[in-house]
Amino acid sequence: MAKMIDDNDDRLINAEDSSTDDDQEEQTLSLPTVAGSGKRKIKKSDMKRNKLVTIQPGLIRLSGLPYGFFERELYSYFSQFGVVTRLKLIRSKKTGGSRGYAYVEFEDEDVARIASETMNGYLMFRSLIKCRLIDRNKFDTEKLFKNWKRLFTVKTPRQKRTLYNRIKSKEQIEKSNQRRAKKLLKQQEKLAAAGIKYELTDFIPLKSIKKEEEKKSPSSEKKNGSTSNKTTKKKSVKK
């Protein structure tokens, strides 16, 4: 069955993937309506023909995008080829600026192929655009377009500090330890491949931390006080 598109339905899109705080209000960016996207009647004969045809979505990757060619411009430009279901402009996490490449998903794979062929090598504002069709079976699209409707905002230093210093659960600590162990293993493999014999250890000295905690604890202070009294008594007996 073909989808009926309404002029009043604005598509919403996000700039980047990224993780935003749950405490912040979710902001969305409204996209413009494209001319010629109104309702149209479909014949029953066309509907019967289309039942036998399976339409698969297509995904293209764009690189070399000029500055100023952002989400709204991408959507309005590529909608002339066909229906754009999702798109993602990759932005910098520090500055929020465009990194010059994006992913556009079309409703039909044939439309995506035509768009990639026409846009590959296209000169736009002194920048040469490169475009290629991506195999969706070899690509995790759900991870790519996660939170794609959410508007990307750069976090302030205060928000970064609160996020870093937040109280973590046991599961989060275990995941971070696993990631750290994987990084150490990769570094160890690189050293072994280079012929360097050196065993890497974790950058957090756990033993020293435990010793410091024992020193700060009140039980250790009592022990230290008792040991100091004993030593003074022994010295007095020797005299």
Side-chain angles (χ1 to χ4, degrees):
M1 295 292 289
K3 294 182 179 179
M4 309 298 276
I5 303 171
D6 192 359
D7 285 331
N8 297 323
D9 291 333
D10 289 336
R11 297 177 181 270
L12 301 176
I13 169 141
N14 174 12
E16 228 247 13
D17 85 50
S18 359
S19 50
T20 54
D21 295 336
D22 296 333
D23 298 333
Q24 297 178 358
E25 293 181 359
E26 187 174 335
Q27 298 177 348
T28 54
L29 178 67
S30 61
L31 292 174
T33 56
V34 181
S37 62
K39 293 182 179 180
R40 60 185 181 86
K41 293 182 180 180
I42 300 169
K43 296 179 181 179
K44 290 184 179 180
S45 60
D46 294 335
M47 291 171 69
K48 288 179 182 179
R49 288 173 190 171
N50 291 330
K51 282 181 180 178
L52 300 174
V53 179
T54 56
I55 298 171
Q56 293 181 353
L59 182 67
I60 61 171
R61 185 186 187 276
L62 297 158
S63 61
L65 295 173
Y67 181 80
F69 205 57
F70 302 138
E71 289 83 10
R72 292 173 65 87
E73 290 78 13
L74 281 167
Y75 176 75
S76 60
Y77 187 84
F78 282 95
S79 293
Q80 64 182 332
F81 295 101
V83 179
V84 177
T85 54
R86 294 182 291 184
L87 67 88
K88 177 66 125 351
L89 177 68
I90 306 302
R91 291 179 176 270
S92 173
K93 291 183 180 179
K94 291 183 180 179
T95 61
S98 173
R99 296 182 67 183
Y101 64 99
Y103 295 89
V104 182
E105 187 185 52
F106 291 93
E107 190 178 14
D108 193 355
E109 190 177 6
D110 295 332
V111 175
R113 187 177 289 105
I114 292 165
S116 65
E117 289 174 358
T118 53
M119 291 304 296
N120 190 22
Y122 188 81
L123 185 64
M124 182 182 287
F125 299 107
R126 296 182 181 180
S127 62
L128 192 67
I129 294 174
K130 293 182 180 180
C131 184
R132 62 185 177 89
L133 188 70
I134 293 175
D135 189 5
R136 290 173 58 85
N137 297 325
K138 297 179 181 179
F139 207 81
D140 191 0
T141 55
E142 296 300 325
K143 187 178 180 180
L144 173 66
F145 293 108
K146 185 181 178 182
N147 300 327
W148 69 280
K149 289 184 181 180
R150 197 176 294 172
L151 184 66
F152 178 74
T153 54
V154 180
K155 292 177 183 176
T156 60
R158 186 177 180 181
Q159 290 173 347
K160 289 178 181 178
R161 284 196 299 270
T162 54
L163 184 66
Y164 183 80
N165 295 324
R166 71 185 186 278
I167 299 169
K168 296 180 181 179
S169 62
K170 291 182 179 179
E171 294 178 356
Q172 290 176 344
I173 293 166
E174 287 178 359
K175 285 181 180 179
S176 64
N177 290 333
Q178 287 175 2
R179 287 195 297 268
R180 193 186 301 160
K182 286 180 181 178
K183 287 180 181 178
L184 285 171
L185 285 171
K186 286 181 181 179
Q187 291 174 359
Q188 190 73 52
E189 288 174 359
K190 286 180 182 179
L191 290 173
I196 300 168
K197 293 181 180 180
Y198 183 76
E199 291 184 1
L200 291 172
T201 55
D202 201 351
F203 60 87
I204 297 174
L206 298 175
K207 291 180 180 179
S208 61
I209 290 168
K210 286 180 180 178
K211 287 179 181 178
E212 287 178 359
E213 288 179 353
E214 288 176 357
K215 288 178 181 178
K216 290 178 181 179
S217 62
S219 59
S220 61
E221 289 178 357
K222 288 179 181 178
K223 288 179 181 178
N224 291 329
S226 61
T227 50
S228 61
N229 291 328
K230 286 180 181 178
T231 51
T232 52
K233 286 179 180 179
K234 286 180 180 178
K235 288 179 181 178
S236 60
V237 168
K238 287 179 180 179
K239 288 179 181 179

